[in-house]
């Protein structure tokens, strides 16, 4: 009977495996790779986690083969790119990861309809995201000893190089340090660009279930980790789909700019007269900003993101501005359903915030007074306070807002540790809140800060786990000055370990509050400082992390001095903005200041679920919607 079960299990492994079509992982441990430093291992795991958060497997399957170039051919041994073709696996089942091939020919030979096909004497590099419980002891020991960053909640990358022999068995080896360097650059780049892939609905057979994408090519700058730079901080990485795709147009700005290709409008579709229903809300023409009072307006026929009052304005705006941005707008509109949080049971549209708050019974109450313009006459931080958590949350029912209490029964390996969260549903379950509670709209700010400290920034996470204090410089506070009761959750989620000192600096801090310190619970202190950051920074305690929420970085003129200060301090900094477009513009501001994007623009899992629209656009925006980081 035992032999029968063993044979049955072996056949199961052979048929299904744990790395789609290629069987289980080899258990490769990066500590055994010659010439690789522990700090670079940390960088690899950090890049891997950043890629995992963008979840490419939602859209990508083995049939989507990408071309990749990292730097010049002469940068690599043999004067040749190690792995110029890549496919993502596991989206349809099995362990998720990606495979890197030596050539486009190898990629085609090994690509089946749903998985990677074994082909004798072909070598490929595999990155498989395995659950920690299933990993080899050597890998788990390395993860613990180096405090490596986790991908998702409990997955870590296993990287090996596999070859199928003539007999059909698999042979494995450790990747070389050069191969790991190539993988690192690819992971950093693909996390930035794969969300920009635009679906081509006419690109494949109508019966095919495989999503087809328009031809695509994008080049981004990737910053090498310090221990791998060797005189060159940045390397240009080009991602293309299909692999042979080439640029159809020259870079249009300076020699240092990154060439970017978005699909442009064809003459036939530039001025299509598309009418869109605007839900009765007031809109503004994108060209002349005239209010559009009717229930219908003209819209771009391709992206359907911007609205116009007339065909004259549409033609003028398309010619002068919109043509270069239409492809990006189209990609953003296609992600609207993905970005919406459908778990909540309260209305998540609030273009008219007073009506939205009235529908919930919290208009002009407690902390919600900062969610509309009714109290705009009152300076930030000076709203009259009655006292008590029930009043602060606007009189919500007792079970609809988080209690001012610690969490119980959250112990790991016999020790308490900060509670790691990855989404709103986890938090609501943790606090036993009904999904009809709107508190996520205010808690977006403190939980975004907590998410940055415990998930995005590994150094602050390590400090907190060791029970030490993390100092945060919080730039440009406004409504947050009246939401202090909500920031108590940061202390509760620390779960008995570590402390956080938040220094809020900005011109909206009232003069009579500047210089004050408040204890928000037992583990969070908030210092308020009125002033401009670049003028005050040298007088503040040195930060471990800098954050700026809903910062409007695309208005670079207002941020120049602050960004120069951040650059000189070389401290990890994270910025959020309300829309993907704002964050894309913010990247340019950061690069203009000489800062390098090290955490790509990604949707923030703790963004507010309440959606707004710009008057001239159908593009959705969310408070703290997207996050990007520098020096991380």
């Amino acid at each position: 009977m035992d032999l029968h079960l063993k044979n049955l299990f072996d056949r199961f492994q052979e048929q299904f495996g744990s790395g789609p079509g290629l069987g289980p992982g080899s258990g490769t441990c990066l500590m055994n790779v010659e010439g690789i430093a522990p700090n670079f291992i940390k960088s690899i795991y950090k890049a891997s986690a950043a890629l995992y958060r963008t979840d490419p497997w939602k859209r990508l399957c083995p049939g989507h083969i990408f071309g990749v170039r990292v730097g010049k051919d002469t940068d690599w041994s043999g004067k040749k790119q190690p792995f110029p073709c890549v496919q993502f696996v596991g989206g349809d089942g099995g362990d998720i990861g990606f495979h890197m091939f030596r050539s486009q020919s190898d990629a085609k030979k090994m690509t089946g309809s749903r998985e990677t096909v074994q082909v004798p004497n072909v070598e490929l590099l595999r990155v498989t995201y395995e659950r920690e419980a299933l990993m080899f002891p050597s890998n788990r020991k390395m993860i613990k000893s180096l405090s490596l960053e986790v991908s998702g909640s409990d997955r870590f990358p296993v990287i090996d190089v596999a070859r199928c022999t003539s007999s059909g068995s698999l042979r494995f080896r450790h990747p070389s340090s050069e191969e790991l360097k190539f993988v690192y650059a690819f992971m950093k780049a693909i996390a930035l660009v794969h969300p920009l892939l635009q679906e081509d609905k006419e690109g494949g057979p109508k019966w095919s279930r495989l999503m087809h994408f328009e031809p695509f090519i994008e080049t981004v700058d990737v910053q090498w980790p310090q221990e791998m730079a060797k005189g060159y901080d940045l390397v240009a990485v080009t991602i293309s789909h299909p692999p042979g795709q080439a640029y159809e147009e020259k870079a249009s700005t300076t020699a240092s700019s990154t060439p970017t290709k978005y699909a442009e409008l064809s003459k036939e579709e530039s001025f299509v007269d598309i009418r869109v229903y605007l839900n009765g809300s007031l809109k503004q023409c994108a060209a002349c900003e005239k209010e559009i009072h009717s229930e219908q307006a003209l819209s771009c026929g391709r992206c359907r993101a911007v609205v116009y009052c007339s065909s004259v304005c549409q033609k003028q705006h398309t010619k002068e501005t919109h043509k270069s941005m239409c492809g990006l707008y189209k990609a953003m509109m296609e992600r609207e359903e993905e970005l919406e949080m459908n778990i909540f049971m309260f209305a998540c549209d609030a273009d008219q915030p007073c009506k939205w708050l009235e529908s919930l019974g919290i208009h002009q109450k407690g902390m919600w007074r900062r969610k509309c313009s009714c109290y705009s006459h009152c300076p930030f931080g000076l709203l009259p306070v009655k006292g008590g958590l029930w009043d602060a949350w606007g009189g919500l029912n007792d079970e609809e807002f988080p209690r001012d209490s610690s969490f119980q029964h959250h112990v790991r390996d016999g020790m308490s540790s900060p509670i790691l969260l990855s989404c709103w549903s986890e938090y609501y379950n943790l606090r036993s809140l009904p999904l009809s509670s709107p508190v996520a709209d205010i808690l977006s700010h403190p939980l975004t800060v907590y998410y940055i400290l415990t998930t995005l920034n590994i150094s602050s996470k390590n400090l907190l786990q060791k029970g030490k204090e993390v100092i945060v410089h919080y730039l440009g506070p406004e409504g947050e000055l009246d939401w202090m009761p909500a920031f108590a959750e940061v202390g509760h989620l620390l779960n008995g370990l570590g402390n956080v000192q938040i220094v809020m600096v900005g011109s909206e801090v009232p003069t009579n509050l500047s210089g004050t310190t408040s204890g928000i619970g037992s583990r969070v202190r908030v210092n308020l400082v009125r002033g401009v950051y670049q003028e005050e920074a040298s007088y503040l305690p040195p930060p471990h992390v800098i954050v700026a929420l809903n910062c409007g970085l695309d208005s670079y003129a207002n941020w120049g001095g602050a960004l120069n200060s951040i650059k000189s301090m070389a401290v990890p900094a994270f910025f959020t903005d309300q829309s993907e477009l704002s964050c894309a513009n913010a990247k340019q501001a950061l690069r203009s200041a000489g800062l390098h994007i090290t955490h790509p623009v990604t949707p923030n899992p703790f963004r507010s679920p309440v959606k707004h629209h710009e008057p001239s656009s159908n593009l959705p925006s969310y408070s703290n919607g997207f996050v990007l980081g520098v020096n991380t």
Side-chain angles (χ1 to χ4, degrees):
M1 183 66 178
D2 289 343
L3 181 62
H4 169 72
L5 289 176
K6 181 180 184 301
N7 291 337
L8 187 64
F9 180 76
D10 287 344
R11 290 201 302 274
F12 177 87
Q13 285 286 87
E14 181 181 358
Q15 181 177 0
F16 296 101
S18 64
L22 294 179
S26 66
T28 298
C29 180
L30 298 187
M31 291 293 284
N32 295 327
V33 177
E34 184 177 353
I36 181 171
N39 283 341
F40 185 50
I41 297 176
K42 292 183 179 182
S43 297
I44 289 174
Y45 275 66
K46 186 181 294 186
S48 174
L51 172 59
Y52 188 89
R53 285 192 295 270
T54 67
D55 201 1
W57 301 276
K58 279 187 176 180
R59 307 171 75 201
L60 305 180
C61 299
H64 300 124
I65 301 177
F66 292 85
V68 54
R69 286 186 59 84
V70 180
K72 304 184 292 293
D73 288 344
T74 54
D75 296 335
W76 307 100
S77 61
K79 310 301 180 186
K80 185 179 179 182
Q81 300 276 322
F83 302 105
C85 285
V86 182
Q87 67 176 188
F88 284 83
V89 297
D92 287 336
D95 282 352
I96 57 177
F98 58 88
H99 294 161
M100 308 186 76
F101 302 94
R102 296 287 187 190
S103 67
Q104 188 173 348
S105 173
D106 287 352
K108 289 182 177 179
K109 284 190 292 187
M110 297 189 72
T111 300
S113 59
R114 292 189 59 189
E115 58 185 25
T116 304
V117 180
Q118 294 185 8
V119 176
N121 301 317
V122 173
E123 189 177 67
L124 73 159
L125 185 144
R126 313 186 309 165
V127 177
T128 307
Y129 287 90
E130 292 188 2
R131 297 186 185 278
E132 185 176 4
L134 301 178
M135 299 183 74
F136 279 65
S138 59
N139 278 344
R140 290 203 298 270
K141 183 178 179 181
M142 177 184 69
I143 288 165
K144 187 174 182 179
S145 64
L146 296 180
S147 298
L148 298 178
E149 185 166 348
V150 64
S151 299
S153 58
D154 65 345
R155 293 180 183 265
F156 293 89
V158 173
I159 308 173
D160 56 28
V161 179
R163 176 188 290 273
C164 181
T165 66
S166 300
S167 63
S169 62
L170 284 174
R171 299 267 179 93
F172 302 97
R173 68 169 174 84
H174 297 302
S176 67
S177 58
E178 183 181 71
E179 289 168 338
L180 288 174
K181 187 176 179 181
F182 192 90
V183 174
Y184 170 85
F186 169 74
M187 290 192 296
K188 295 287 284 186
I190 192 68
L192 287 166
V193 303
H194 81 77
L196 298 177
L197 283 165
Q198 301 177 32
E199 185 178 358
D200 182 3
K201 296 183 180 179
E202 305 297 328
K206 293 184 178 180
W207 50 266
S208 175
R209 296 176 58 190
L210 179 68
M211 183 184 297
H212 289 262
F213 298 107
E214 294 181 0
F216 173 90
I217 186 168
E218 178 81 13
T219 298
V220 295
D221 292 331
V222 169
Q223 185 176 24
W224 289 122
Q226 186 176 1
E227 60 276 4
M228 300 295 289
K230 294 182 180 180
Y232 297 95
D233 290 338
L234 299 176
V235 64
V237 181
T238 300
I239 307 292
S240 60
H241 174 77
Q245 180 71 8
Y247 284 103
E248 297 178 1
E249 56 187 3
K250 296 179 180 179
S252 57
T253 53
T254 65
S256 62
S257 65
T258 299
T260 304
K261 176 181 177 294
Y262 294 113
E264 290 194 358
L265 297 167
S266 67
K267 292 182 179 178
E268 291 76 16
E269 63 184 352
S270 295
F271 309 116
V272 177
D273 184 0
I274 300 291
R275 298 270 171 181
V276 291
Y277 182 63
L278 300 179
N279 297 323
S281 61
L282 195 63
K283 294 284 181 177
Q284 293 177 350
C285 174
C288 68
E289 299 185 355
K290 175 184 176 182
E291 292 184 349
I292 306 172
H293 295 281
S294 65
E295 291 185 344
Q296 291 185 327
L298 295 177
S299 175
C300 170
R302 188 168 189 275
C303 69
R304 306 194 181 191
V306 292
V307 295
Y308 304 99
C309 64
S310 67
S311 59
V312 174
C313 280
Q314 183 180 13
K315 291 179 181 180
Q316 177 186 348
H317 190 252
T318 300
K319 181 179 179 181
E320 296 177 353
T321 304
H322 183 64
K323 186 176 182 181
S324 63
M325 300 297 295
C326 187
L328 178 59
Y329 283 176
K330 182 174 184 287
M332 290 163 62
M333 289 294 287
E334 288 173 350
R335 297 185 66 193
E336 181 176 3
E337 183 176 348
E338 170 196 344
L339 295 173
E340 285 184 351
M341 296 182 186
N342 296 319
I343 63 168
F344 292 103
M345 298 172 61
F346 59 88
C348 290
D349 286 305
D351 283 335
Q352 297 177 305
C354 291
K355 289 186 177 180
W356 178 71
L357 294 168
E358 285 174 358
S359 70
L360 297 170
I362 51 179
H363 185 226
Q364 297 185 355
K365 295 180 180 179
M367 293 186 287
W368 303 100
R369 288 172 288 179
R370 284 295 178 216
K371 285 295 177 178
C372 66
S373 61
C374 292
Y375 276 79
S376 59
H377 61 280
C378 184
F380 291 110
L382 297 180
L383 283 177
V385 178
K386 293 182 179 179
L389 202 58
W390 182 79
D391 287 311
W393 284 111
L396 291 172
N397 293 331
D398 286 348
E399 71 279 3
E400 289 187 311
F401 60 89
R403 311 305 299 173
D404 188 14
S405 60
S406 58
F407 296 92
Q408 304 295 328
H409 311 301
H410 281 275
V411 178
R412 183 178 180 180
D413 298 329
M415 298 177 62
S416 62
S417 62
I419 300 170
L420 300 182
L421 297 171
S422 62
C423 60
W424 279 120
S425 59
E426 286 185 10
Y427 173 77
Y428 270 59
N429 287 334
L430 189 69
R431 273 301 191 193
S432 300
L433 296 173
L435 294 174
S436 58
S437 168
V439 294
D441 190 32
I442 287 178
L443 286 171
S444 171
H445 289 72
L447 291 199
T448 294
V449 173
Y450 185 79
Y451 175 70
I452 289 170
L453 297 181
T454 58
T455 302
L456 300 187
N457 188 48
I458 196 69
S459 61
S460 59
K461 175 183 175 182
N462 289 340
L463 286 173
L464 292 171
Q465 288 179 329
K466 293 174 182 177
K468 298 184 178 180
E469 182 176 69
V470 170
I471 298 174
V472 181
H473 284 186
Y474 192 115
L475 278 53
E478 293 184 347
E480 301 95 311
L481 299 171
D482 292 296
W483 295 335
M484 290 303 162
F487 278 81
E489 277 299 90
V490 173
H492 296 319
L493 289 166
L494 290 174
N495 199 29
L497 274 183
N499 297 282
V500 176
Q501 179 183 0
I502 304 175
V503 184
M504 293 189 172
V505 187
S507 57
E508 296 296 337
V509 174
T511 303
N512 61 322
L513 294 182
S514 184
T516 62
T517 300
S518 302
I520 312 296
S522 61
R523 296 195 172 272
V524 179
R525 284 185 299 146
V526 177
N527 303 84
L528 301 181
V529 178
R530 179 180 177 87
V532 181
Y533 184 65
Q534 58 268 29
E535 297 175 359
E536 302 293 337
S538 60
Y539 302 102
L540 305 176
H544 297 102
V545 182
I546 299 171
V547 299
L549 306 188
N550 295 331
C551 56
L553 253 180
D554 49 347
S555 178
Y556 175 65
N558 298 329
W559 277 94
L563 295 182
N564 288 334
S565 295
I566 293 171
K567 180 182 178 182
S568 66
M569 286 187 283
V571 173
F574 293 86
F575 305 87
T576 73
D577 226 319
Q578 293 187 314
S579 70
E580 195 169 7
L581 176 62
S582 296
C583 266
N585 293 334
K587 287 169 59 179
Q588 300 304 317
L590 291 169
R591 287 189 174 126
S592 297
L595 292 161
H596 302 304
I597 309 294
T598 48
H599 176 82
V601 175
T602 52
N604 173 18
F606 291 101
R607 63 189 178 274
S608 167
V610 181
K611 177 174 63 175
H612 302 264
H613 292 89
E614 290 296 323
S616 62
S617 173
N618 292 321
L619 289 169
S621 64
Y622 303 82
S623 180
N624 300 316
F626 294 81
V627 62
L628 71 161
V630 299
N631 303 333
T632 59

